[in-house]
Amino acid sequence: MSLPQHPRRTRLAGLTAAGAALALTLAACSSGSEAEPAAGGEAADLGELTVQLSWIKNAEFAGEFFADSKGYYADAGFSSVTLNAGPGATESIVLSGGADFGLSNAVAVGQVVAEEDAPLKIVGTTYQKNPFTILSLKDGGDIATPEDLVGKKIGVQAGGNEALFDALLEVNGIDPADVEKVPVEYDPSPLVNGEVDGFLAYVTNESIIVESEGHEVTNLLFADNGLPFVAESVVTTDEMIANEPEKVKAFLQAEILGWKDAVADPEEGARLAVEEYGADLELDLEKEIQQATIQAETLVVTEETEANGLFTISDELIEQNIATLAAAGIEVEAEDLFDMSLLTELLEEQPELAE
């Protein structure tokens, strides 16, 4: 099966533009799980749940697929679940009430908060580490350290990705004049064809695609080279946090249970994407298994989550996120971007979720 070429999103550009019409997929919930209600006792009727995903329905959202198919959302009190496929203007959709929760990243949300004083908060995160990378061929550019960028041609997408690349150079003390930026789209063909030495990509997407074509690759991860920030983060409104805290905790509960399953069984998470939730996308099962495995082992599970539980964000990591935003020219205070209070309450009420 040939791999579908979905253009990889730039989640920082056009954040406040009106979202394009999105196909709404209502996924049926089963009820075979044993989850505890978010606040103890019998689960309340929390009504319908709408979640705005950041990308197409591939293995990137294995945890959501588990939470839906195993009934964790239903057990938490939601009467129905709609998982809206991206890409879309997640922040705008959540702000307008088009979704109760959205999945985005700290830089994207931080930009909207800083520039528009948007009443949004990150309340937990799937990815402790962002998946952005400079992808290169082992027998080509072989860019393994920031210093290896000097003298190279790097394919960079316009908009938010370009801002992130500029920040990568800045935090590593590299003069932009020493690196040639080449405008590209999201298809990594220019890298494979030798038009560029490196390519701004996702380690869970383009990197796997290029490697699957028989090329040995090198990845320079942003998260490990001066630009740590959380991604696939749960974002909601200040109003939701203030007025419906039990709904927030119920959602986080279901998410944690779903992602525990996704970490434990990447192959099943990939199968759910390929055969059920993304069945119309002609996804490649082998690639999706690789993606599910890589994200589980390198982005979702870290020393911090092993100590504190999935979806948690430590004070130290929050500080690192704020520093990354500053490097990208985004000035925002931690308390204006993150609110971990409800997740903290949930884990105090149900400590087994952190195990």
Side-chain angles (χ1 to χ4, degrees):
M1 180 186 298
S2 61
L3 293 174
Q5 294 299 316
H6 300 286
R8 169 54 66 178
R9 71 288 206 185
T10 171
R11 299 186 184 175
L12 312 185
L15 295 174
T16 58
L22 298 172
L24 302 181
T25 302
L26 184 60
C29 295
S30 63
S31 57
S33 64
E34 300 295 332
E36 293 293 327
E42 187 175 349
D45 181 5
L46 299 173
E48 299 176 355
L49 170 67
T50 301
V51 184
Q52 179 61 47
L53 307 179
S54 60
W55 190 233
I56 62 171
K57 292 181 179 179
N58 64 4
E60 191 165 332
F61 308 104
E64 284 71 39
F65 302 156
F66 272 111
D68 182 43
S69 64
K70 285 199 169 184
Y72 298 148
Y73 292 131
D75 291 344
F78 296 104
S79 59
S80 66
V81 182
T82 299
L83 301 175
N84 285 344
T90 298
E91 291 75 18
S92 294
I93 292 168
V94 173
L95 279 170
S96 68
D100 301 297
F101 303 94
L103 298 179
S104 187
N105 67 64
V107 179
V109 182
Q111 185 176 39
V112 178
V113 171
E115 295 180 358
E116 302 186 15
D117 198 24
L120 292 172
K121 294 290 188 301
I122 290 172
V123 296
T125 196
T126 311
Y127 287 179
Q128 293 281 307
K129 300 172 67 173
N130 72 79
F132 285 95
T133 185
I134 298 300
L135 174 66
S136 59
L137 303 182
K138 182 73 72 174
D139 61 358
D142 194 25
I143 300 168
T145 69
E147 292 72 25
D148 294 337
L149 291 165
V150 174
K152 300 293 198 307
K153 293 181 179 180
I154 308 298
V156 181
Q157 301 83 9
N161 283 4
E162 186 173 8
L164 271 181
F165 180 72
D166 291 345
L168 180 69
L169 298 182
E170 180 177 338
V171 298
N172 286 285
I174 298 173
D175 187 339
D178 292 337
V179 182
E180 182 179 350
K181 278 193 296 188
V182 178
V184 295
E185 296 299 327
Y186 299 94
D187 182 345
S189 295
L191 175 68
V192 176
N193 296 337
E195 299 170 40
V196 295
D197 302 301
F199 186 88
L200 201 158
Y202 260 33
V203 70
T204 51
N205 192 51
E206 292 89 352
S207 179
I208 296 173
I209 291 173
V210 171
E211 195 168 29
S212 72
E213 295 173 349
H215 305 281
E216 192 173 357
V217 302
T218 301
N219 280 290
L220 180 70
L221 291 171
F222 283 39
D224 294 337
N225 290 279
L227 286 183
F229 59 91
V230 294
E232 296 306 345
S233 304
V234 178
V235 59
T236 193
T237 62
D238 290 353
E239 181 180 6
M240 176 74 76
I241 294 169
N243 298 336
E244 300 186 78
E246 294 307 319
K247 189 170 186 176
V248 177
K249 290 196 288 185
F251 178 68
L252 290 170
Q253 169 193 291
E255 287 284 290
I256 290 170
L257 291 171
W259 275 100
K260 281 189 171 187
D261 288 350
V263 167
D265 194 350
E267 291 191 6
E268 175 61 10
R271 187 200 68 78
L272 286 170
V274 173
E275 297 182 6
E276 298 186 30
Y277 292 86
D280 60 333
L281 300 175
E282 298 184 355
L283 300 171
D284 180 85
L285 181 59
E286 183 177 350
K287 184 265 181 185
E288 296 304 309
I289 290 174
Q290 284 184 274
Q291 175 168 342
T293 301
I294 290 172
Q295 71 185 8
E297 294 178 351
T298 65
L299 305 179
V300 177
V301 176
T302 65
E303 289 184 2
E304 288 193 0
T305 59
E306 288 179 340
N308 304 321
L310 298 183
F311 279 74
T312 59
I313 310 174
S314 69
D315 291 343
E316 181 181 1
L317 183 54
I318 287 175
E319 291 177 3
Q320 292 173 359
N321 275 252
I322 297 303
T324 291
L325 267 63
I330 301 169
E331 298 295 334
V332 63
E333 299 295 327
E335 58 267 27
D336 294 328
L337 180 57
F338 295 95
D339 186 341
M340 306 306 297
S341 62
L342 294 179
L343 179 57
T344 299
E345 284 184 20
L346 174 64
L347 296 180
E348 289 175 349
E349 294 164 358
Q350 298 187 52
E352 68 275 10
L353 290 173
E355 296 174 356

